[in-house]
Amino acid sequence: TGMRGEYMETVTAAVEYLEGINLASITMRIVMSMVCGGVIGIERGKAHQPAGMRTYMLVCMGAAMVMLTGQYMYYHFQTGDPARLGAQVVSGIGFLGAGSIIISGKTKIKGLTTAAGLWTAACIGLSIGIGFYEAGIIATLAVSLIMTQLKKLEYHLIFDDVWLSVYVELDDAVKMTDLVREFSPAGLVIGEVQIEKKRKGFQKAVISLKNTEHKSREAVLQFLEEVEGIQFVKYTA
């Protein structure tokens, strides 16, 4: 019992130490914010979105630094409100989110999930920066789950969502007109096409497809994998 009591006292002292402003807590908060931002950003990078791992890491770490600075000012100068700087982050991060939203055609809007993720990453950084580690870690896991696992559920629940976005690697000889002829009989209409860097032997592209026959994501993916000239395909969102 005595050893358990000593252990709890040690843990309590360590937590209190990390809640203060010192070299260990500063290092831990900065590193943790970078990791949490990176975890979210990796998924967005794999989905070929404009904001990837480094962007999310910078946003999360920057927000943590803002809260650290506010806390430092409060403790060091005995004045001010530690939450004031954080409030500016919550409202000011919108410029990055707006930059990631793309309108293609008349009705198709892309980048909303990325924009929401950037805002959430900033909020996670704020929580870590003030020392609320538990919330930051749990929120990171929750955001990662939402971005990686819940897309399929959303697709099945929202029946009028007929737009799909796919990343493809094509043989150099393949032309978009060839794909249009291949896709049309399957009820897939090509909307926006974003051509990425070409490499020897294949070309990259992100294609928006209108799924007019409301086929399942799995069925569409299987069809695309069997199209001649497509070397690799996956969903970007």
Side-chain angles (χ1 to χ4, degrees), residues 26-217:
I26 293 171
T27 303
M28 180 175 178
R29 295 180 196 187
I30 291 176
V31 172
M32 187 180 293
S33 64
M34 290 174 61
V35 171
C36 290
V39 167
I40 301 172
I42 285 174
E43 188 279 332
R44 291 286 85 189
K46 288 181 177 179
H48 298 272
Q49 296 300 317
M53 183 182 72
R54 291 182 299 168
T55 303
Y56 276 85
M57 290 175 72
L58 288 171
V59 167
C60 197
M61 186 188 70
M65 277 300 304
V66 167
M67 289 305 287
L68 274 167
T69 303
Q71 192 176 4
Y72 173 82
M73 292 171 60
Y74 180 76
Y75 286 142
H76 188 73
F77 298 107
Q78 299 297 313
T79 185
D81 180 5
R84 179 173 296 178
L85 290 177
Q88 303 308 310
V89 172
V90 172
S91 59
I93 199 66
F95 81 95
L96 272 180
S100 68
I101 297 174
I102 301 172
I103 299 177
S104 55
K106 296 181 179 179
T107 59
K108 178 64 175 171
I109 299 176
K110 298 171 60 179
L112 291 176
T113 302
T114 300
L118 286 169
W119 186 83
T120 306
C123 294
I124 291 172
L126 293 175
S127 67
I128 293 174
I130 202 64
F132 196 8
Y133 306 114
E134 300 91 337
I137 294 173
I138 294 173
T140 299
L141 295 175
V143 172
S144 181
L145 174 67
I146 290 170
M147 288 187 169
T148 58
Q149 302 298 323
L150 297 189
K151 180 62 181 179
K152 292 182 181 179
L153 177 62
E154 179 186 37
Y155 181 81
H156 289 299
L157 292 177
I158 304 176
F159 300 103
D160 60 345
D161 183 8
V162 297
W163 283 99
L164 301 171
S165 181
V166 294
Y167 165 80
V168 296
E169 293 179 359
L170 309 167
D171 292 336
D172 274 340
V174 175
K175 299 179 180 179
M176 286 300 154
T177 52
D178 299 330
L179 294 182
V180 170
R181 287 195 295 268
E182 290 280 350
F183 292 175
S184 294
L188 299 175
V189 179
I190 295 179
E192 183 186 28
V193 179
Q194 299 176 15
I195 303 296
E196 298 188 4
K197 293 180 180 178
K198 288 188 176 182
R199 292 187 177 180
K200 189 175 181 179
F202 66 92
Q203 55 184 329
K204 300 178 180 180
V206 176
I207 303 175
S208 294
L209 295 174
K210 190 173 184 180
N211 184 13
T212 59
E213 296 183 2
H214 296 268
K215 294 182 178 179
S216 69
R217 288 169 62 90

